[in-house]
């Protein structure tokens, strides 16, 4: 039946059509008001002219016409103000309709996102993430412990050397002198047994000197 009576207009189209009609009415009122204002000026000029000629009866008639003209001008101004208020309401309705459509679209999008969101899967992912993070922290802590052990051993060795040098300085001896007294083999590099024997000899000689100092 739409081909007989025409397509049914949507609320948005009806609002737009009414808005155009109101704008057209305001333009018509402006044109009529402009005509009346020009007519008012002409009546005023005629009244001045008749007053100079002494035609007071004509002046009274034209004065009444001037009053009516000014009254109509005020009516046209009030009518335009009322039409503008209605037009503003239509604009507000259009804005509210656009906002409602936007909220409707956002609501649909949020519903689709909520349907796609799998909470058990997200919980599983978060648990796996926490597990991997804990494992990474554990490995990092183990690496730090290894590094601390290595650096601590080097620091212990340096500290022990410093203590030995301090003791020897108090006794008037030098670690380099004691180690330098160890005989070096010429030619080939000494073997492990030779190094151990030389170190033992140096330690024995150092101990003997310390014993002699205690006797003194």
């Amino acid at each position: 039946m739409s081909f007989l009576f025409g397509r049914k207009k949507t609320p948005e189209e009806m609002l737009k059509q009414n808005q155009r009609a109101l704008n057209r009415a305001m333009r018509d009122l402006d044109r009529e008001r402009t005509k009346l204002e020009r007519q008012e000026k002409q009546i005023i000029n005629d009244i001045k002219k008749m007053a100079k000629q002494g035609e007071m009866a004509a002046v009274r008639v034209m004065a009444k016409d001037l009053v009516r003209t000014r009254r109509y001008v005020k009516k046209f101004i009030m009518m335009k103000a009322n039409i503008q208020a209605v037009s503003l309401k239509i604009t507000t309705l259009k804005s509210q309709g656009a906002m409602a459509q936007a909220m409707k679209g956002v609501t649909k999008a949020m519903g689709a996102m909520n349907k796609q969101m799998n909470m058990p899967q997200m919980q599983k992912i978060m648990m796996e993430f926490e597990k991997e993070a804990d494992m990474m922290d554990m490995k990092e802590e183990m690496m730090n412990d290894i590094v601390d052990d290595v650096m601590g051993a080097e620091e212990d060795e340096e500290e022990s050397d410093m203590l030995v040098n301090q003791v020897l300085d108090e006794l008037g001896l030098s670690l380099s002198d004691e180690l330098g007294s160890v005989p070096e083999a010429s030619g080939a590099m000494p073997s492990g047994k030779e190094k151990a024997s030389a170190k033992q000899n140096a330690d024995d000689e150092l101990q003997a000197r310390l014993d002699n100092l205690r006797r003194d």
Side-chain angles (χ1 to χ4, degrees):
M1 299 296 291
S2 61
F3 65 91
L4 294 177
F5 301 100
R7 183 178 64 86
K8 185 178 180 180
K9 294 182 179 180
T10 62
E12 292 80 7
E13 292 175 345
M14 294 175 64
L15 288 175
K16 188 179 294 184
Q17 182 180 0
N18 293 329
Q19 184 75 44
R20 286 196 296 266
L22 291 175
N23 292 333
R24 184 167 57 252
M26 284 189 290
R27 288 194 297 269
D28 293 339
L29 288 174
D30 286 335
R31 282 195 296 268
E32 294 297 327
R33 182 175 56 81
T34 303
K35 290 179 181 179
L36 289 175
E37 288 175 348
R38 286 198 298 265
Q39 184 178 350
E40 179 184 354
K41 292 179 181 179
Q42 184 64 37
I43 293 173
I44 292 173
N45 292 330
D46 292 340
I47 290 174
K48 290 179 180 179
K49 184 178 179 180
M50 290 298 174
K52 289 179 182 179
Q53 294 177 1
E55 300 288 340
M56 298 307 297
V59 169
R60 289 189 182 93
V61 173
M62 286 187 290
K64 291 180 181 180
D65 191 14
L66 178 61
V67 171
R68 286 193 297 268
T69 301
R70 288 180 174 176
R71 192 175 298 164
Y72 281 124
V73 170
K74 290 181 180 179
K75 286 183 179 180
F76 283 143
I77 293 175
M78 292 298 297
M79 289 174 65
K80 182 182 178 182
N82 291 329
I83 293 175
Q84 284 178 337
V86 175
S87 177
L88 180 60
K89 290 182 179 180
I90 291 177
T91 303
T92 304
L93 287 174
K94 290 172 62 178
S95 301
Q96 290 177 350
M99 183 179 65
Q101 290 296 326
M103 292 179 66
K104 182 179 179 181
V106 172
T107 302
K108 288 183 178 180
M110 291 176 64
M113 291 297 296
N114 288 329
K115 289 181 180 179
Q116 293 179 0
M117 190 176 296
N118 190 345
M119 290 305 297
Q121 184 178 4
M122 289 187 62
Q123 186 176 7
K124 181 179 179 182
I125 292 174
M126 294 302 296
M127 291 177 64
E128 291 180 356
F129 176 81
E130 185 177 1
K131 178 181 178 182
E132 294 297 331
D134 292 340
M135 186 176 296
M136 184 178 296
D137 293 340
M138 187 182 301
K139 290 182 179 180
E140 183 178 359
E141 185 176 356
M142 291 175 64
M143 289 297 297
N144 291 334
D145 291 340
I146 294 173
V147 173
D148 291 340
D149 291 340
V150 174
M151 297 302 295
E154 294 181 356
E155 292 177 357
D156 291 343
E157 185 176 355
E158 292 178 358
E159 187 176 358
S160 61
D161 291 340
M162 291 176 61
L163 291 175
V164 171
N165 287 328
Q166 183 178 358
V167 172
L168 294 177
D169 289 340
E170 291 176 357
L171 298 175
L173 302 176
S174 173
L175 181 61
S176 59
D177 294 338
E178 298 302 329
L179 295 178
S181 62
V182 179
E184 296 182 357
S186 60
M189 295 295 294
S191 63
K193 293 182 179 181
E194 293 176 348
K195 289 181 179 180
S197 177
K199 186 176 183 304
Q200 184 64 36
N201 293 333
D203 292 340
D204 294 340
E205 185 175 356
L206 178 60
Q207 185 64 39
R209 291 195 177 189
L210 290 174
D211 294 339
N212 291 331
L213 288 173
R214 291 192 187 95
R215 296 191 189 97
D216 295 337

